[in-house]
Amino acid sequence: MDADNEAKGKVSDQAMQNPQALAALQDKIDSVSHSASIMDSLPKSVKRRVNALKNLQVNSTHIEAKFYKEVHELERKYSALYQPLFDKRRNIVSGEVEPTDEECEWQSDHEDEAALAEDLKKKAAIEEKTEDANEEKPKGVPEFWLTIFRSVDMLSDMLQEHDEPILKHLQDIKVIFSGPDQPMSFTLEFRFEPNEYFTNTVLTKVYKMKSEPDAEDPFSFEGPEIIDCDGCEIDWHKGKDVTVKTIKKKQKHKGRGTARVITKQVPNDSFFNFFNPIKVSPDRELDEDSEYTLATDFEIGHFFRERIVPRAVLYFTGEALEDDESTGNPQPAECKQQ
């Protein structure tokens, strides 16, 4: 009995130390209490019918789960149709392909803007003739992805000054959906040109998903949710790892009283920590900071998939940022952490 009381005390202490867990627990208690009070007030014959309705609701939830699985299959199918367009985007950005004059035409929304654009075009043509023929011209769209990282708050929060020279070598980001016979997931592939920082040409982040109602709480199901993620190992060139920094520290010898300077490596803030996420373990509870970090990671992964990759040029120009501000860009329920 003492052991049971001690265990309950530990659970209570953990809940008190975690406000989010405490709030979730309180919401659940309130929900159960409200449900119980209504059910208690019903005649037995009505209770019986309400239980039948709840069973129907469970069946509905399982159908909803199947719906989302088919949506995932549709996403995978249409991803293959989008990919040739995204490949051409990559080739233009990297400078491998020069678009034709016809492909570069863009219809202005206003006649005065079109007239101004024409004047600027004539002026640019005159200036181009006077330019030195040997002057180097930019290749592709320089710093395309880095500009996006700088512009989007969610990404710029992770970005450090020492990350920027590396991200100048980022040529493309791809989303790959899991196959029909695989557990539901999606993979982000960050493709780099050869560079002085690491040997990898592709860095990956896999987000594992769940689209099944919980057996113990089926009514909590709100669609697919990200439940875990895996990064990858970055093969840094010597002295180029921006995820660690070297510090010097004086250490005093206890016996002799002399001091010596030792150096050691400690973690360093960097976007590239994105590829070394916190691991979820059923045997270990995460602290509040880790839970927040993981939930943010899931949110970022979903944002790459749903917004950044499909609409990259609009984030580069800033037009998508204006759309996000006008709509508030609500985050979907898919980013929940179990």
Side-chain angles (χ1 to χ4, degrees), residues 46-73:
V46 177
K47 281 185 191 177
R48 183 170 170 274
R49 295 171 198 136
V50 170
N51 286 337
L53 294 178
K54 290 174 75 174
N55 282 323
L56 290 176
Q57 186 63 45
V58 170
N59 292 339
S60 174
T61 302
H62 285 286
I63 293 172
E64 186 181 6
K66 289 180 181 179
F67 164 78
Y68 283 116
K69 287 179 181 178
E70 291 197 22
V71 168
H72 183 77
E73 284 304 304

Side-chain angles (χ1 to χ4, degrees), residues 154 158 186 188 205-207 226 228-231 273-278 290-304 335:
M154 192 183 295
M158 298 192 294
F186 67 91
L188 299 176
K205 186 79 171 280
V206 180
Y207 286 90
I226 298 172
D228 197 7
C229 58
D230 290 326
N273 290 319
F274 179 70
F275 299 98
N276 184 27
I278 295 170
S290 296
E291 283 187 353
Y292 176 79
T293 300
L294 197 60
T296 302
D297 189 316
F298 292 173
E299 191 174 310
I300 291 167
H302 191 274
F303 197 74
F304 268 118
C335 299

Side-chain angles (χ1 to χ4, degrees), residues 93-94 139 141-147 149-150 159-172 191-198 271-272:
V93 166
S94 65
K139 181 182 176 183
V141 184
E143 302 185 9
F144 179 79
W145 291 102
L146 176 56
T147 300
F149 272 68
R150 287 171 177 157
L159 191 64
Q160 306 297 320
E161 188 175 345
H162 47 253
D163 295 325
E164 296 197 6
I166 309 175
L167 288 170
K168 288 180 181 180
H169 297 284
L170 179 59
Q171 294 186 311
D172 195 24
R191 295 178 170 265
F192 289 82
E193 64 183 353
N195 60 80
E196 62 183 288
Y197 298 96
F198 43 72
F271 162 73
F272 291 90

Side-chain angles (χ1 to χ4, degrees), residues 30-235:
D30 291 345
S31 174
V32 170
S33 300
H34 179 68
S35 174
S37 64
I38 291 177
M39 290 297 286
D40 289 344
S41 66
L42 297 175
K44 188 175 180 180
S45 59
V46 177
K47 281 185 191 177
R48 183 170 170 274
R49 295 171 198 136
V50 170
N51 286 337
L53 294 178
K54 290 174 75 174
N55 282 323
L56 290 176
Q57 186 63 45
V58 170
N59 292 339
S60 174
T61 302
H62 285 286
I63 293 172
E64 186 181 6
K66 289 180 181 179
F67 164 78
Y68 283 116
K69 287 179 181 178
E70 291 197 22
V71 168
H72 183 77
E73 284 304 304
L74 273 176
E75 286 184 306
R76 188 173 63 84
K77 173 187 173 182
Y78 278 87
S79 175
L81 300 178
Y82 288 129
Q83 197 53 53
L85 303 178
F86 295 157
D87 289 343
K88 190 158 190 177
R89 177 179 71 187
R90 179 200 64 216
N91 292 336
I92 292 173
V93 166
S94 65
E96 293 177 31
V97 169
E98 184 63 33
T100 65
D101 289 343
E102 185 180 357
E103 289 173 328
C104 293
E105 287 184 6
W106 184 254
Q107 183 64 41
S108 174
D109 291 333
H110 305 286
E111 289 183 7
D112 55 341
E113 288 183 5
L116 179 60
E118 188 62 32
D119 290 342
L120 290 173
K121 191 186 293 183
K122 290 176 182 177
K123 184 179 178 183
I126 295 170
E127 290 177 351
E128 189 173 347
K129 290 179 181 177
T130 61
E131 282 180 356
D132 185 354
N134 296 323
E135 185 177 350
E136 186 179 347
K137 295 181 180 179
K139 181 182 176 183
V141 184
E143 302 185 9
F144 179 79
W145 291 102
L146 176 56
T147 300
I148 293 171
F149 272 68
R150 287 171 177 157
S151 302
V152 178
D153 290 342
M154 192 183 295
L155 303 182
S156 64
D157 287 345
M158 298 192 294
L159 191 64
Q160 306 297 320
E161 188 175 345
H162 47 253
D163 295 325
E164 296 197 6
I166 309 175
L167 288 170
K168 288 180 181 180
H169 297 284
L170 179 59
Q171 294 186 311
D172 195 24
I173 305 175
K174 291 179 70 174
V175 180
I176 299 174
F177 294 91
S178 56
D181 299 323
Q182 299 173 319
M184 188 183 288
S185 69
F186 67 91
T187 301
L188 299 176
E189 288 189 351
F190 294 73
R191 295 178 170 265
F192 289 82
E193 64 183 353
N195 60 80
E196 62 183 288
Y197 298 96
F198 43 72
T199 61
N200 313 65
T201 55
V202 180
L203 301 180
T204 60
K205 186 79 171 280
V206 180
Y207 286 90
K208 301 173 184 178
M209 302 171 70
K210 174 188 173 186
S211 185
E212 296 174 0
D214 190 298
E216 295 181 1
D217 187 15
F219 302 135
S220 66
F221 181 73
E222 294 180 354
E225 56 185 312
I226 298 172
I227 56 172
D228 197 7
C229 58
D230 290 326
C232 68
E233 185 175 345
I234 303 178
D235 299 320

